[in-house]
Amino acid sequence: MVIRVLIADDHSIVREGLRMFLGRDSEVALVGEAANGVEAVSRARELRPDVVLMDLLMPEMDGIAATAAIRSELPETEVIALTSVLESAAVIGAVKAGAIGYLLKDTQAPELLKAIKAAAAGQVQISSQASAYLVREVRTSEIREPLTERETEVLHLLAQGRSNKEIARDLHVVEDTVKVHVKHILAKLGVQSRTQAVLCAMRLGLVPTERGKGLRNG
Amino acid sequence: MVIRVLIADDHSIVREGLRMFLGRDSEVALVGEAANGVEAVSRARELRPDVVLMDLLMPEMDGIAATAAIRSELPETEVIALTSVLESAAVIGAVKAGAIGYLLKDTQAPELLKAIKAAAAGQVQISSQASAYLVREVRTSEIREPLTERETEVLHLLAQGRSNKEIARDLHVVEDTVKVHVKHILAKLGVQSRTQAVLCAMRLGLVPTERGKGLRNG
DNA sequence: CAAAACATTGCCCATAGGGGTAATATCATG
DNA sequence: CATGATATTACCCCTATGGGCAATGTTTTG
């Protein structure tokens, strides 16, 4: 039985490369392509592929959201995250969204085909580098106390370079309150300053990296 | 006369895709491939291609450095930056390094081939989105005073969440000196706090984003 | 050589930031 | 209902941070 594969990647060059890679193996058949997350979900719905090769960075809807949507709707369809960045937040996010595999785009054809076959059989096939992040995540998830809703809100504002006073104004509370939240955030993240908190948060993917959004007056 | 093209990209999938794209046109011939910057430079030296399609994010030596090296050594060889990220710092860096083109990886085959032919003829072919960054750069380059070497050094440490005291220790100077540097950095970047400076610097690409390197005790 | 830019140090001062402690109201959950 | 988590406010205290001003030696540049 051939394994039916759907490709979701916004780069036509990558899709072309994958097409060639997949063409080398008779057990695998490319049944469709998508150029963004929304398209990936609707294509998956129509085609019901066995495996989706999902890029994570895509317009409209990112690959993690698309993965979550597909996995919840089509539990038979397995998703392999195929991305160029090896990033903690991306790995954790993809796995939490239901991806069974996480491969980098520098993967060679044989290894990719092996991963597709493994995924079709429901077997986890994850790059060793990516699994290192999983180990770290699991190891630190107990240590790292989760932030409360309010603290998360404050952290987002911290990550925009706001001062305590400004945050207080934004949240319609007194500055002292903000200072308490910041204090708790620092403690939970295990850092000593708001700058470190922001860096840590970005590293852990706790805040959107928001390139281009800008500061108050950058 | 066929245009001799060298591909430099660390992703085999991308190389495969480009190989297909280039194969569609008889005026273009793929003469070599490289998987990192160092390899790109040495291959360019041997093969003396007309055009190099250069990925920017590569191990060993990044595409910008490779572009600069190739352009200084082989002025006949034109470089087209071909990357998946549309980022101000990347565009500016590539252009400053001597790239004649900047294309995104979601470029379609016809457009890519057109760009290669233009580059071989010494004509600038840059994506309109990328040129927007150039416009902004030129417009703001007069406003934004460049950081001195020392200030850049301090900024790097700021971006690691270091305090003034720690930076002073690292640089073997007195804390007061660091404070002056920080002061100047804030003024030049037009921000009010070190946290904003870090965010601004990351946004402008003034500091390596260094995901995964970690803080003192993240 | 002279001028400009730069790195460095020093000092004063006001504010922002962060640690500790504690009390109160609310809300969810056992 | 009672307990615990959360949000909020309010202190105190100390350090970190950042702005302004000035001076000196060094390097770069015109």
Side-chain angles (χ1 to χ4, degrees):
Chain A
M1 192 58 187
V2 283
I3 299 168
R4 305 174 66 248
V5 178
L6 169 66
I7 294 174
D9 197 303
D10 54 329
H11 300 333
S12 55
I13 293 174
V14 173
R15 291 201 303 273
E16 180 77 40
L18 284 171
R19 217 177 285 150
M20 294 313 297
F21 272 24
L22 300 187
R24 290 178 186 169
D25 195 308
S26 57
E27 293 179 49
V28 173
L30 176 62
V31 297
E33 299 183 11
N36 62 56
V38 173
E39 217 174 290
V41 174
S42 63
R43 277 291 152 78
R45 199 173 306 160
E46 305 164 8
L47 304 169
R48 301 186 167 268
D50 300 304
V51 175
V52 180
L53 292 181
M54 179 80 73
D55 186 27
L56 296 188
L57 283 171
M58 287 190 295
E60 304 300 327
M61 175 191 267
D62 68 49
I64 290 180
T67 299
I70 291 174
R71 287 293 298 163
S72 70
E73 195 174 337
L74 308 167
E76 303 292 304
T77 297
E78 299 289 352
V79 175
I80 296 177
L82 184 67
T83 177
S84 49
V85 289
L86 181 62
E87 212 171 90
S88 175
V91 176
I92 309 299
V95 169
K96 281 187 179 169
I100 198 173
Y102 189 105
L103 297 178
L104 291 177
K105 283 187 181 170
D106 62 358
T107 301
Q108 300 296 316
E111 201 180 336
L112 177 63
L113 291 167
K114 195 173 114 195
I116 290 174
K117 289 169 192 172
Q123 291 163 0
V124 171
Q125 181 86 12
I126 204 158
S127 82
S128 60
Q129 308 143 63
S131 60
Y133 284 110
L134 292 182
V135 170
R136 205 171 67 183
E137 167 69 11
V138 173
R139 189 179 298 159
T140 60
S141 59
E142 298 176 37
I143 301 169
R144 191 171 71 242
E145 308 164 73
L147 298 182
T148 70
E149 195 177 333
R150 198 58 160 181
E151 286 161 356
T152 305
E153 206 169 350
V154 172
L155 181 57
H156 281 7
L157 293 168
L158 281 183
Q160 286 165 27
R162 297 282 195 282
S163 68
N164 290 339
K165 194 172 294 185
E166 291 172 326
I167 294 173
R169 231 187 305 112
D170 282 11
L171 299 183
H172 306 291
V173 296
V174 164
E175 186 182 348
D176 285 303
T177 304
V178 176
K179 289 169 79 170
V180 174
H181 290 316
V182 171
K183 194 189 308 181
H184 291 161
I185 291 170
L186 298 185
K188 287 185 178 179
L189 296 185
V191 296
Q192 286 76 39
S193 75
R194 61 207 294 109
T195 304
Q196 288 184 3
V198 170
L199 292 170
C200 178
M202 294 199 312
R203 198 160 47 80
L204 295 176
L206 298 179
V207 294
T209 316
E210 59 177 338
R211 283 198 172 266
K213 270 198 183 174
L215 308 170
R216 285 217 319 281
N217 52 0
Chain B
M1 193 56 187
V2 284
I3 299 167
R4 304 175 67 248
V5 177
L6 169 66
I7 294 175
D9 196 303
D10 55 329
H11 301 333
S12 56
I13 294 174
V14 174
R15 291 200 302 275
E16 181 77 38
L18 284 171
R19 215 177 287 151
M20 293 313 297
F21 271 24
L22 300 186
R24 290 179 188 170
D25 195 307
S26 58
E27 292 178 50
V28 173
L30 176 62
V31 297
E33 298 184 12
N36 62 57
V38 174
E39 217 174 290
V41 175
S42 63
R43 276 292 151 79
R45 198 173 307 159
E46 305 164 8
L47 303 169
R48 301 185 166 269
D50 300 304
V51 175
V52 180
L53 293 180
M54 179 78 73
D55 186 27
L56 296 187
L57 283 171
M58 287 191 293
E60 304 300 326
M61 174 192 266
D62 67 50
I64 290 179
T67 298
I70 291 174
R71 288 292 299 164
S72 69
E73 194 174 337
L74 308 167
E76 302 293 304
T77 298
E78 298 290 352
V79 175
I80 296 177
L82 184 66
T83 177
S84 50
V85 289
L86 181 62
E87 212 171 90
S88 174
V91 177
I92 309 301
V95 170
K96 282 186 178 169
I100 198 173
Y102 189 104
L103 297 178
L104 290 178
K105 283 186 182 171
D106 62 358
T107 301
Q108 301 296 317
E111 201 181 335
L112 177 63
L113 291 167
K114 195 173 115 195
I116 290 175
K117 289 169 191 172
Q123 291 164 0
V124 170
Q125 181 86 11
I126 204 156
S127 82
S128 60
Q129 307 143 62
S131 60
Y133 284 110
L134 292 181
V135 170
R136 205 172 66 184
E137 166 69 12
V138 173
R139 189 178 298 160
T140 62
S141 60
E142 297 176 39
I143 302 168
R144 191 172 71 243
E145 306 164 74
L147 298 182
T148 70
E149 194 177 334
R150 199 58 161 179
E151 287 161 354
T152 305
E153 206 169 349
V154 172
L155 181 57
H156 282 8
L157 293 168
L158 281 183
Q160 287 165 27
R162 296 281 196 284
S163 68
N164 290 339
K165 195 172 295 184
E166 291 173 326
I167 294 173
R169 229 185 309 112
D170 281 12
L171 299 184
H172 307 290
V173 297
V174 166
E175 187 181 346
D176 284 304
T177 304
V178 176
K179 289 169 74 171
V180 173
H181 290 316
V182 171
K183 195 187 307 182
H184 291 160
I185 291 170
L186 297 185
K188 288 185 178 178
L189 296 185
V191 296
Q192 286 76 38
S193 75
R194 61 207 295 109
T195 304
Q196 287 183 5
V198 170
L199 292 170
C200 178
M202 296 200 310
R203 199 160 47 80
L204 295 176
L206 299 179
V207 294
T209 317
E210 59 177 336
R211 285 198 173 263
K213 272 198 183 174
L215 308 169
R216 284 220 317 282
N217 51 0

